[in-house]
C-alpha cells in the first residue's frame, strides 16, 4: 500500500517543470496526467463554481470529486480562476511568465478570443510550449466542429473495423481516441520541450482525436493503401494472421496468438493435433488466414474439451502465447498486475482508502509515482497565487471579487 503524501515536486524526471493545465473531461487531462505522474508541477486551472465536468461524472466520493476525476487528475493542484474576468486573465498571464507548458482542449479559437492564445503568451514567454487538443485539430475545414471520442472513432475508421461482420457499428470499449490524443500530445509536448531547452524557442503542439484514431489503423490503412480494398470488422481476429483470436473453451474463451509458423507448430503439438502441421489446407500462414473461419471452428471443437485454465497450462508449458479474457475484478486480482504496481492504494484523510491505476511505464532511475489524489476544486488557489508573487491581501481581494475560489 502506498501512503498518500503531500505534493512533492522534487521526485520524477519532470521535477521542476511547470504546466498550466486548462483541460477537462478526458483527452486533455490524460495528457497532463502523464506529465504529472513523471513529477511535473501540473496546476489545474478550473472554472469557479463548476470546475472540470468530470468531477460530476460517474460515482462520486464527495460533491465535486468522482472516481473518474480522481483517476485522471491525481498528482495535480487546482486553482479555481475566472478567465473571463480581466483580473483572472492577468493572473493567468503572470503564471504563464514562468510556466514551461500550457495545455488546453477548448475548441480552436476560444483561447484567442480570451486573449490567451499562443501568440499572446509567446510574447510573454518565448520558450513556452503551448499544447492544444481538439476533435479535429486547429486547421482544416472541421477545425470549428466539436469532437467527442465516439464521433472520432466513427470518422477515423475505427468503428468500421470494430465488432463482428454483419453486426451494427461498434466502438472500442474504452475512449481510445481521447486516450490516444492525450498520449500523442504528451509526446509532442516533451519533444517541443526538449527543443525549447536546447534553443530557447517554444512552439505550438496541435493534437486531435480524429488523427489519434487514424494513427491506430496501421494494418487497416496499409491494407487499403496496398490493395484498394476496404477492411471490415473481424471480431477478435487479426487483420493478416490466423489463428490470432479468442476461441471458445469448455468454460469460456482463450486468446490464442499462434500467428507465426513456429508458434503455429508449437500450438498444434500443445493441443495434441500434430497432423495439422502437415495439413495442406493450413500449411502456410496465408492458407490459415484464407480459411480462418473453418480453422476457428475446428480448433474450438478441440478446445471445448477442456477449461481455459487447463489450456493455459498446456500452452504456457509449450511456449505458445495465449491468455484468458479478464473482467475488471480479475484484472486487479492478477499476480502480474499486482507485481507491477498497476493497482495503487492510497490513504486519504478525507476520503479514506482510494484505489487507482498505477503508472504504466517504469523508469529505472527516476520512476513516476502517485503522490496524491486529484484535488478538490480550488484546493490550492491560495498557495499557487502566493507562489506567483501575490500578497495575502491581494489573494483575499481576488477571492472577494469572485475571480478566484478557494
Amino acid at each position: 500500500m502506498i501512503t498518500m503524501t503531500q505534493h512533492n515536486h522534487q521526485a520524477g524526471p519532470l521535477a521542476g517543470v511547470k504546466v498550466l493545465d486548462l483541460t477537462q473531461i478526458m483527452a486533455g487531462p490524460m495528457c497532463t496526467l502523464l506529465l504529472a505522474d513523471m513529477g511535473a508541477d501540473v496546476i489545474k486551472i478550473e472554472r469557479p463554481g463548476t470546475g472540470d465536468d468530470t468531477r460530476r461524472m460517474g460515482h462520486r466520493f464527495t460533491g465535486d470529486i468522482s472516481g473518474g476525476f480522481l483517476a485522471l487528475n491525481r498528482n495535480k493542484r487546482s486553482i479555481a480562476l475566472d478567465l473571463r474576468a480581466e483580473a483572472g486573465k492577468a493572473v493567468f498571464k503572470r503564471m504563464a511568465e514562468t510556466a514551461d507548458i500550457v495545455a488546453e482542449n477548448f475548441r480552436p479559437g476560444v483561447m484567442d478570443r480570451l486573449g490567451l492564445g499562443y501568440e499572446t503568451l509567446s510574447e510573454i514567454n518565448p520558450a513556452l510550449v503551448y499544447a492544444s487538443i481538439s476533435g479535429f485539430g486547429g486547421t482544416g475545414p472541421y477545425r470549428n466542429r466539436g469532437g467527442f471520442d465516439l464521433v472520432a472513432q466513427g470518422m477515423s475508421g475505427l468503428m468500421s473495423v470494430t465488432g463482428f461482420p454483419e453486426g451494427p457499428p461498434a466502438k472500442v470499449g474504452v475512449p481510445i481516441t481521447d486516450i490516444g490524443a492525450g498520449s500523442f500530445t504528451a509526446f509532442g509536448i516533451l519533444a517541443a520541450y526538449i527543443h525549447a531547452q536546447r534553443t530557447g524557442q517554444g512552439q505550438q503542439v496541435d493534437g486531435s482525436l480524429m488523427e489519434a484514431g487514424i494513427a491506430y489503423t496501421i494494418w487497416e490503412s496499409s491494407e487499403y493503401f496496398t490493395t484498394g480494398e476496404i477492411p471490415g470488422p473481424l471480431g477478435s481476429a487479426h487483420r493478416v494472421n490466423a489463428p490470432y483470436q479468442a476461441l471458445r473453451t469448455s468454460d469460456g474463451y482463450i486468446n490464442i496468438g499462434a500467428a507465426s509458423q513456429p508458434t503455429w507448430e508449437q500450438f498444434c503439438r500443445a493441443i495434441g493435433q500434430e497432423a495439422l502441421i502437415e495439413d495442406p489446407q493450413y500449411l502456410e500462414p496465408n492458407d490459415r488466414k484464407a480459411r480462418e473461419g473453418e480453422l476457428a471452428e475446428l480448433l474450438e471443437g478441440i478446445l471445448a474439451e477442456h477449461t481455459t485454465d487447463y489450456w493455459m497450462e498446456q500452452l504456457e508449458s509449450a511456449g505458445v502465447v495465449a491468455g484468458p479474457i479478464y473482467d475488471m475484478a480479475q484484472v486487479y486480482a492478477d499476480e502480474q498486475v499486482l507485481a507491477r504496481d498497476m493497482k495503487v492504494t492510497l490513504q486519504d484523510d478525507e476520503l479514506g482508502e482510494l484505489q487507482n491505476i498505477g503508472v504504466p511505464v517504469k523508469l529505472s532511475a527516476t520512476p513516476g509515482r502517485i503522490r496524491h489524489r486529484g484535488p478538490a476544486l480550488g484546493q490550492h488557489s491560495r498557495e499557487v497565487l502566493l507562489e506567483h508573487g501575490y500578497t495575502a491581501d491581494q489573494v483575499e481581494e481576488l477571492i472577494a471579487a469572485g475571480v478566484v475560489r478557494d
Side-chain angles (χ1 to χ4, degrees):
M1 179 181 293
I2 297 174
T3 301
M4 184 171 299
T5 62
Q6 297 297 316
H7 41 264
N8 173 7
H9 308 305
Q10 302 308 308
L14 297 182
V17 175
K18 184 166 78 175
V19 181
L20 303 184
D21 179 7
L22 291 158
T23 69
Q24 64 169 333
I25 309 294
M26 174 66 75
M30 182 70 199
C31 172
T32 53
L33 168 70
L34 298 174
L35 305 178
D37 279 356
M38 291 300 163
D41 179 12
V42 176
I43 302 172
K44 187 173 179 68
I45 299 166
E46 303 183 73
R47 299 184 303 269
T50 56
D52 185 337
D53 286 341
T54 312
R55 288 182 175 278
R56 292 168 297 284
M57 293 182 179
H59 173 76
R60 295 192 208 178
F61 289 93
T62 67
D64 71 349
I65 298 179
S66 68
F69 179 86
L70 289 178
L72 283 163
N73 294 283
R74 66 195 188 199
N75 292 336
K76 302 176 187 180
R77 297 192 286 167
S78 171
I79 174 173
L81 180 65
D82 185 358
L83 294 178
R84 296 169 298 178
E86 290 304 315
K89 294 175 185 178
V91 170
F92 183 80
K93 288 179 179 178
R94 182 183 291 195
M95 295 172 67
E97 290 175 5
T98 55
D100 297 290
I101 297 157
V102 167
E104 59 92 9
N105 64 342
F106 297 113
R107 288 198 192 192
V110 169
M111 289 294 284
D112 289 324
R113 290 193 293 274
L114 287 171
L116 301 173
Y118 174 69
E119 296 301 327
T120 299
L121 297 187
S122 65
E123 292 180 3
I124 298 171
N125 181 353
L128 184 68
V129 174
Y130 190 107
S132 300
I133 304 175
S134 59
F136 299 96
T139 59
Y142 298 164
R143 69 181 297 271
N144 292 320
R145 287 191 187 183
F148 290 117
D149 173 76
L150 177 65
V151 174
Q153 286 203 35
M155 295 182 70
S156 65
L158 289 177
M159 288 179 68
S160 75
V161 297
T162 303
F164 286 84
E166 310 305 324
K171 76 177 190 69
V172 179
V174 299
I176 194 167
T177 67
D178 274 329
I179 295 169
S183 301
F184 292 141
T185 303
F187 168 76
I189 286 171
L190 294 177
Y193 177 71
I194 292 171
H195 175 77
Q197 292 297 294
R198 290 173 175 169
T199 67
Q201 176 190 22
Q203 60 185 298
Q204 287 182 283
V205 178
D206 182 6
S208 82
L209 275 62
M210 185 176 182
E211 288 161 274
I214 293 170
Y216 284 117
T217 64
I218 302 297
W219 289 115
E220 292 73 20
S221 290
S222 297
E223 181 174 322
Y224 174 68
F225 292 153
T226 303
T227 68
E229 297 178 2
I230 298 175
L234 299 173
S236 64
H238 194 274
R239 187 65 52 191
V240 298
N241 292 313
Y244 190 96
Q245 64 195 99
L247 296 172
R248 189 184 296 274
T249 66
S250 67
D251 65 347
Y253 285 86
I254 186 170
N255 278 324
I256 301 295
S260 69
Q261 191 63 31
T263 55
W264 163 248
E265 294 177 8
Q266 290 172 325
F267 174 64
C268 291
R269 295 188 185 99
I271 63 173
Q273 300 294 319
E274 292 87 345
L276 286 175
I277 297 172
E278 303 301 329
D279 190 322
Q281 295 185 95
Y282 310 120
L283 196 60
E284 300 289 341
N286 287 343
D287 298 325
R288 296 191 288 277
K289 179 62 183 176
R291 296 178 175 85
E292 70 177 347
E294 64 185 59
L295 177 59
E297 186 175 349
L298 171 65
L299 294 175
E300 286 190 332
I302 297 162
L303 295 175
E305 297 175 2
H306 297 287
T307 66
T308 296
D309 285 345
Y310 171 86
W311 287 120
M312 279 299 304
E313 185 176 342
Q314 302 303 309
L315 296 172
E316 274 196 65
S317 64
V320 178
V321 178
I325 298 172
Y326 286 164
D327 60 28
M328 297 312 298
Q330 291 170 311
V331 169
Y332 289 112
D334 185 86
E335 60 183 356
Q336 179 68 15
V337 173
L338 298 176
R340 294 282 290 176
D341 295 324
M342 284 306 293
K343 179 183 178 182
V344 176
T345 301
L346 305 173
Q347 285 293 337
D348 181 71
D349 292 340
E350 179 185 0
L351 303 181
E353 185 174 282
L354 300 173
Q355 294 178 335
N356 211 320
I357 302 170
V359 179
V361 60
K362 276 64 175 176
L363 278 65
S364 63
T366 56
R369 66 187 182 93
I370 301 177
R371 303 182 298 279
H372 57 87
R373 68 163 172 87
L377 178 60
Q379 179 179 342
H380 305 97
S381 294
R382 291 176 182 273
E383 71 179 53
V384 168
L385 292 173
L386 292 171
E387 288 171 3
H388 288 84
Y390 288 89
T391 66
D393 287 343
Q394 289 172 326
V395 172
E396 293 302 328
E397 289 174 5
L398 289 168
I399 293 173
V403 175
V404 173
R405 168 183 164 176
D406 65 347

